[in-house]
Amino acid sequence: MKRRTLLGFAAMVAGSGLLRSGRAMGQSSPVRVTREEPITVRTEFDPGRPPPEMPPLTPPEAGVCKTTFELSASVTYSAERLSGLTARIYVDGLDIVTRLRFDIYTAQGAPPKLRAHEEGHRAIGEHYYGDAARIAEDIGRRLIGVTFDGTGIDQEAAQENAFAKAVASIERDYMARMRTPSSAANERFDEITRHGLEAIEEADALALAIARP
């Protein structure tokens, strides 16, 4: 039996996550990857009334760049009944879509240096996202034919459990190769620039943050 289920997940550089589900249509090849272009939303806020959706600031910070990597994966699999309460699925194909979103918040009247600093964080995310399609395809191809065993109160639940393990594997591998290095580079960028207070040019700090292991 073949089934296809669509799950997507989004993880911020800070590490929070989102999971949603749905259904997907058929695909013509074992692994297909669509890399969507990054989306950037810039918001100027009143320091006395920051927007509720903005990540909290640590004084004297006056701006923040929230980076969200997203990956949705439509997985086709074949299922094998192992027992009444256990099942095994075989990954037959994947249709993967990668996305990246930046939400940049800067205080009203903030100096150009601050704005340049937050744009530096955006540039770091875009740098690593440049490899998103290649990384997603590599992960997908490595999963073709891989099996996942699941358990549940019946066969449907057992297959869903096995499928959840497959999705977790995709998420773990993609975020380890995308979000993790981007997060580390962002931390180095803040150290080098002292959160935008250092006199160093953002382009120079960006190059150093990416070059350092």
Side-chain angles (χ1 to χ4, degrees), residues 33-44:
V33 177
T34 301
R35 177 189 178 278
E36 295 190 357
E37 289 300 309
I39 296 175
T40 302
V41 178
R42 297 175 177 84
T43 302
E44 289 191 6

Side-chain angles (χ1 to χ4, degrees), residues 130-194:
D131 276 343
R134 179 186 62 80
I135 289 172
E137 182 175 10
D138 180 61
I139 291 171
R141 293 196 178 281
R142 290 173 183 268
L143 277 181
I144 298 300
V146 173
T147 63
F148 295 88
D149 293 351
T151 60
I153 59 175
D154 53 28
Q155 274 297 295
E156 181 175 0
Q159 288 183 32
E160 291 296 335
N161 179 247
F163 174 76
K165 293 178 181 179
V167 170
S169 174
I170 299 170
E171 177 186 22
R172 181 183 63 251
D173 292 348
Y174 180 77
M175 293 305 169
R177 297 171 62 179
M178 183 64 55
R179 182 187 65 194
T180 300
S182 176
S183 178
N186 273 287
E187 290 180 3
R188 291 193 295 268
F189 183 70
D190 277 336
E191 291 174 359
I192 294 168
T193 63
R194 290 195 301 131

Side-chain angles (χ1 to χ4, degrees), residues 81-149:
R81 178 190 177 97
L82 298 181
S83 73
L85 304 179
T86 60
R88 173 173 296 158
I89 66 170
Y90 300 78
V91 177
D92 298 323
L94 298 101
D95 200 337
I96 300 172
V97 180
T98 68
R99 303 179 183 89
L100 175 61
R101 177 186 172 98
F102 300 100
D103 291 280
I104 299 177
Y105 300 88
T106 53
Q108 294 173 353
K113 183 71 172 174
L114 171 69
R115 298 176 188 277
H117 179 79
E118 301 308 332
E119 294 296 335
H121 283 297
R122 176 189 57 77
I124 289 173
E126 290 192 348
H127 168 78
Y128 288 97
Y129 188 63
D131 276 343
R134 179 186 62 80
I135 289 172
E137 182 175 10
D138 180 61
I139 291 171
R141 293 196 178 281
R142 290 173 183 268
L143 277 181
I144 298 300
V146 173
T147 63
F148 295 88
D149 293 351

